[in-house]
Amino acid sequence: MAIIDPRAILISTARGVASAPLSAKFGIVVLATYVLAALLAPHMTPYGEAEIVSAQFEPWSSKFWLGTDNLGRDMLTRLVFGARNTIGIAFLTTCVAFAIGASAGLVAATFGGWPDQILSRLVDVLMSIPQLIFALLLLSIFGTSVSAMVLVIAVLDSTRVFRLTRAVAINVAVLDYVEAARLRGERSTWIMTREILPNIAPTLVAEFGLRFCFVFLLISALSFLGLGMQPPTADWGSMVRDSAGLISYGDITPLLPAGAIALLAVAVNLVVDWFLHSASGLKEE
């Protein structure tokens, strides 16, 4: 069994990042900043997440760098905590969606026949309903708790993961080395995890980044509509909703959480594009 050397992996990763194009480096820096803000939120902010520290809609000042919101809570504090809540829940939801969708896609591609037909038709039914409308309906039925939101969005988003996984896995499942593994008498689970999955992993990793963006935006949209994360939890979507009226007075405060959402989506896409280019083996001209 080969021994994994963490130091070698770290050096290889550092070299890969050093040789990345400027756009990818920008995306990596932005993502690293967001992750640090999410991890260190309680130590970076002057106030508590739901602490009321002043009057409503205080202007920007040396005491409140980004002013206060509609309840008198510090906007800078809420913005930083929003990174922890929104990104953390979006990442968890994407992981659950991939666990469901990728597993089902591998089963459908490996076994074919009636398992493939049942799973594919079920996914067709779920995908025939607009995702946002379906999510709103299910959340209105099951409630707006974080666990319910994670499960609902993960199940709905897993349909997209299933389609991609099945499509790329079917192409691999008919190759000679997979047929050789079947003739050797290898179990289906061994074939899925040792032969098919490693060969479609780069595509799935890139898709994970893209699906994270869609999940992240969907959670923000649900929070904006009042069915996402509930008060007093800080969330960028609800922060835009709560301070949207300030736009009428020329205050750009509502644009800060909206800008944070847009910047994260751009950064993830820049990194995913670089990863896909690197995994393809193509060289920059």
Side-chain angles (χ1 to χ4, degrees):
M1 180 181 295
I3 299 176
I4 298 176
D5 185 359
R7 185 171 177 272
I9 294 176
L10 184 61
I11 293 174
S12 177
T13 303
R15 287 175 178 171
V17 172
S19 62
L22 185 60
S23 59
K25 291 179 180 177
F26 172 77
I28 291 171
V29 170
V30 171
L31 290 180
T33 303
Y34 275 74
V35 171
L36 285 176
L39 295 176
L40 304 177
H43 307 288
M44 295 176 59
T45 54
Y47 306 104
E49 179 180 3
E51 182 181 356
I52 297 177
V53 295
S54 186
Q56 301 176 2
F57 297 128
E58 284 281 345
W60 296 14
S61 64
S62 58
K63 185 177 181 181
F64 306 112
W65 288 6
L66 299 180
T68 60
D69 65 3
N70 60 323
L71 295 179
R73 298 169 296 191
D74 182 53
M75 279 292 292
L76 177 60
T77 299
R78 300 279 291 173
L79 199 63
V80 174
F81 271 97
R84 162 178 283 193
N85 299 327
T86 309
I87 296 175
I89 292 176
F91 181 78
L92 174 62
T93 304
T94 308
C95 289
V96 176
F98 263 76
I100 298 172
S103 299
L106 283 170
V107 169
T110 304
F111 290 95
W114 63 265
D116 182 20
Q117 289 297 319
I118 292 176
L119 290 171
S120 297
R121 299 297 76 76
L122 178 61
V123 167
D124 288 343
V125 171
L126 292 176
M127 292 185 70
S128 65
I129 307 173
Q131 189 176 27
L132 179 58
I133 296 176
F134 203 5
L136 289 171
L137 174 63
L138 293 177
L139 288 174
S140 64
I141 295 173
F142 296 109
T144 55
S145 64
V146 172
S147 58
M149 182 175 63
V150 168
L151 289 175
V152 166
I153 297 177
V155 169
L156 295 181
D157 209 62
S158 66
T159 57
R160 279 74 178 171
V161 180
F162 170 85
R163 278 298 185 195
L164 177 71
T165 304
R166 177 182 177 275
V168 294
I170 282 178
N171 292 331
V172 175
V174 297
L175 296 179
D176 292 341
Y177 61 85
V178 178
E179 291 297 333
R182 288 195 176 98
L183 292 174
R184 290 198 309 266
E186 302 290 356
R187 292 179 300 175
S188 297
T189 53
W190 192 95
I191 293 174
M192 284 190 290
T193 56
R194 298 294 185 88
E195 299 288 359
I196 299 178
L197 182 58
N199 287 281
I200 66 173
T203 303
L204 294 183
V205 171
E207 179 67 10
F208 185 93
L210 296 177
R211 294 259 53 97
F212 171 80
C213 281
F214 286 115
V215 169
F216 171 77
L217 293 172
L218 179 58
I219 290 175
S220 297
L222 290 172
S223 296
F224 182 83
L225 296 173
L227 286 175
M229 283 180 272
Q230 299 300 303
T233 303
D235 172 76
W236 290 337
S238 59
M239 289 174 67
V240 174
R241 180 195 64 212
D242 293 340
S243 58
L246 295 178
I247 290 290
S248 303
Y249 302 96
D251 193 330
I252 65 170
T253 300
L255 299 181
L256 297 176
I261 294 171
L263 183 60
L264 178 62
V266 170
V268 171
N269 278 280
L270 290 175
V271 175
V272 167
D273 286 345
W274 166 63
F275 177 82
L276 278 175
H277 191 276
S278 300
S280 68
L282 298 176
K283 302 295 183 183
E284 295 285 351
E285 295 293 339

